[in-house]
Amino acid sequence: MFPFRSKTEKRKPPPKPAWLKWLMIGFIVYALAMAGLPNKNPTKQTIDKAKQNVLQHETVDFSGYESKLFPQDPAALRIDDVHEGSGDPAVCGQRVRLAYETFLAQGNALPDKAGKDKPLSFTIGDGHVMPVFDRGVVGMKPGGKRSIIAPPLMSYGMEDYKRDDVPDGAMVRFEIELLSASPPIPDVAVMPYRIAEVAVGNGAMLVCGQPASLRVKLWDTSGKLLYSNHEDKVPLAITPGKSEVMLGLEQGVLGMLEGGTRLLIIPPAFQRTMSGTPAKFPFPLPKDQTVLVEVEAHTGI
């Protein structure tokens, strides 16, 4: 005969707390709702795509970023590169040294010049020289030479630079040689610094040395919003070239048209100012992390 086994009652698991039950229900409802929402915001889509590329260390092809880093205004200056030079191109905010000679458009030489032994030294965009130098030297490489024809309002037609030997309304030719540019900027070929055109504006172009009015949003690569001034009545006002904000933002707005929007992917190397001094307008930046910045060129200061 088999031994008799008494039946034992199975223990019931302890009941789950009510708050956990409602938390799980709430999470499921939220997930279903988010899955059903269409993602029609082009800026959000661009940010999501760029964020994935950064996290996966892929190259982001935004086509022609050099023209945005080194914009020229052909309507104002007629530039001819006589000799390219070597090294990194000069950018807005760098300290440069150059030698130059000046001529009237018909060829007559002017006494205003600077030689290699006593070169002209200035910071691109700080407004301490004629606009022909601020604008004309951007994009030049050390050792490079340019011939630039400047209109009066970018040279000797300006009130502070008028000369008796330059007729009113005269076009002037400048023969420039770039001797040096410093400090060096990080190599954009190996750094994930990128500029994406989200929406093209239709207003005035943002150029080096001219005040710019900006709306800015800043995220980390997890998508957390770290800064936004969209609710502020007064937008952020900076002058590219004066090292008032981090390098990536200062360079990233050049060439924008008012009313336009860009997305900037800014790695840590581009989060300092060009001059190395503290930023006039600092942002809450996570340490040693790439950030995403959406910048709108506001119309008016």
Side-chain angles (χ1 to χ4, degrees):
M1 295 181 64
F2 295 99
F4 176 78
R5 293 183 180 178
S6 62
K7 294 183 178 179
T8 57
E9 187 177 351
K10 293 183 178 180
R11 290 186 179 182
K12 295 181 179 180
K16 295 180 179 179
W19 65 267
L20 181 59
K21 173 184 174 182
W22 287 110
L23 179 64
M24 294 176 65
I25 293 173
F27 176 78
I28 293 171
V29 171
Y30 173 78
L32 291 174
M34 292 301 292
L37 286 178
N39 186 5
K40 295 182 179 180
N41 187 330
T43 300
K44 178 65 164 57
Q45 291 174 347
T46 305
I47 291 171
D48 287 345
K49 182 177 179 181
K51 181 176 69 176
Q52 289 303 315
N53 285 332
V54 171
L55 293 175
Q56 296 169 13
H57 305 289
E58 294 179 1
T59 299
V60 184
D61 181 15
F62 288 137
S63 68
Y65 69 89
E66 284 192 3
S67 65
K68 299 178 179 68
L69 273 176
F70 317 120
Q72 299 294 342
D73 188 354
L77 294 176
R78 291 161 53 187
I79 296 176
D80 178 29
D81 281 304
V82 178
H83 178 67
E84 183 179 4
S86 61
D88 296 325
V91 300
C92 182
Q94 281 186 315
R95 188 77 179 171
V96 294
R97 296 166 56 253
L98 56 88
Y100 73 94
E101 294 181 310
T102 55
F103 304 83
L104 293 176
Q106 59 266 37
N108 298 343
L110 296 172
D112 186 14
K113 60 183 179 180
K116 294 182 179 180
D117 54 339
K118 292 184 178 180
L120 175 65
S121 179
F122 63 95
T123 298
I124 304 174
D126 68 358
H128 292 162
V129 293
M130 290 184 288
V132 61
F133 293 122
D134 268 337
R135 310 274 180 85
V137 75
V138 172
M140 291 186 72
K141 297 179 180 180
K145 296 180 180 180
R146 273 183 179 174
S147 179
I148 303 174
I149 296 179
L153 291 182
M154 296 190 74
S155 56
Y156 298 109
M158 300 180 68
E159 190 61 35
D160 293 340
Y161 296 99
K162 287 184 179 294
R163 298 175 57 96
D164 293 337
D165 52 358
V166 178
D168 291 339
M171 302 286 284
V172 179
R173 177 167 55 91
F174 293 80
E175 300 294 333
I176 293 175
E177 179 179 359
L178 179 63
L179 304 177
S180 66
S182 61
I185 63 170
D187 188 353
V188 294
V190 298
M191 290 284 179
Y193 175 58
R194 296 293 184 268
I195 301 172
E197 208 84 53
V198 176
V200 179
N202 55 12
M205 179 184 288
L206 274 56
V207 296
C208 185
Q210 297 295 314
S213 184
L214 310 174
R215 296 289 187 190
V216 179
K217 287 184 179 179
L218 186 148
W219 297 264
D220 63 17
T221 51
S222 71
K224 179 182 178 182
L225 182 65
L226 303 176
Y227 172 86
S228 173
N229 70 342
H230 280 241
E231 303 301 322
D232 298 345
K233 293 182 178 180
V234 180
L236 180 67
I238 70 165
T239 300
K242 292 191 174 182
S243 291
E244 295 174 328
V245 292
M246 59 179 165
L247 178 61
L249 178 59
E250 182 178 48
Q251 302 298 316
V253 301
L254 295 174
M256 288 186 74
L257 301 181
E258 288 185 350
T261 302
R262 281 182 182 173
L263 174 71
L264 313 176
I265 301 178
I266 306 180
F270 283 82
Q271 293 172 16
R272 59 171 177 80
T273 62
M274 174 68 81
S275 65
T277 58
K280 180 179 179 181
F281 303 105
F283 296 98
L285 299 170
K287 186 177 180 180
D288 299 327
Q289 292 185 36
T290 293
V291 294
L292 308 174
V293 176
E294 181 191 73
V295 57
E296 297 178 7
H298 192 67
T299 52
I301 294 296

